[in-house]
Amino acid sequence: MSRLLARIMLAVFMLPVAALVWIVAFMVLYEDVLRRREEQCFLVSGLVTAAFVGGYWVLLWRRSVRWNAPRVVGSVGLALGAVVLGGLVAWPMDRLESGFGSLLFGPATTFAWLVGTVFLWRETPGERASRLDARSGTSLVCPACGYNLTGLDQATCPECGVSYTIDELLASQPGREDSEIERAAAA
Ligand SMILES: [Zn+2]
């Protein structure tokens, strides 16, 4: 199984695991911590699960995303936007049926953020072009900062100072995973 396929499988498994986290958090809160205050239990379980999913998602994809300032700031902004959106979904629902809003707030916020990250984290056409450019030659770039290491006789980046073995350097070139997808699609 390729690393990319393993990652996609882990992404698929995230939602059932998140459901389990929610249930366990709810049970513990309901029985021990919040003493059967159902609405608060819904809300806090949702927040615990949102934190779990956020951490899981970032860890899962961190090496596939080209991190730059707009993406980092955007991901935080997206979280704030998702909270507002979750509130806008939850509030009318709570007026409809008391407690329902507290139940929906966490999941709605989490889904909004996840969907947003897919659009924010995917490569732009310009990034794709430069990635294909870099691949078509023999250039190597620093996985940490993107500095072009072609022609250097050492595996230490002069720009950011990170050292690599040749294997690490080759394995972490941007676009390697995308080329796996592209080859699979062509086959
Ligand atoms: Zn570097």
Side-chain angles (χ1 to χ4, degrees), residues 66 71 119 122-133:
R66 197 177 293 196
R71 283 213 173 90
F119 290 96
R122 69 178 176 178
E123 66 182 354
T124 63
E127 285 169 343
R128 179 184 155 80
S130 70
R131 172 171 62 81
L132 294 178
D133 261 8

Side-chain angles (χ1 to χ4, degrees), residues 142 144-145 147 157 159-160:
C142 169
C145 71
Y147 187 83
C157 174
E159 181 74 9
C160 69

Side-chain angles (χ1 to χ4, degrees), residues 22 38-39 41-47 50 82-112:
W22 192 95
E38 204 173 50
E39 282 197 29
C41 292
F42 282 151
L43 203 58
V44 178
S45 312
L47 294 176
V83 168
V84 172
L85 195 72
L88 288 176
V89 171
W91 189 60
M93 290 297 150
D94 211 62
R95 292 169 60 107
L96 218 61
E97 170 76 51
S98 178
F100 200 42
S102 312
L103 181 63
L104 278 182
F105 177 70
T109 300
T110 308
F111 274 114

Side-chain angles (χ1 to χ4, degrees), residues 134-152:
R135 270 220 343 265
S136 64
T138 51
S139 71
L140 282 174
V141 298
C142 169
C145 71
Y147 187 83
N148 192 337
L149 302 176
T150 310
L152 294 178

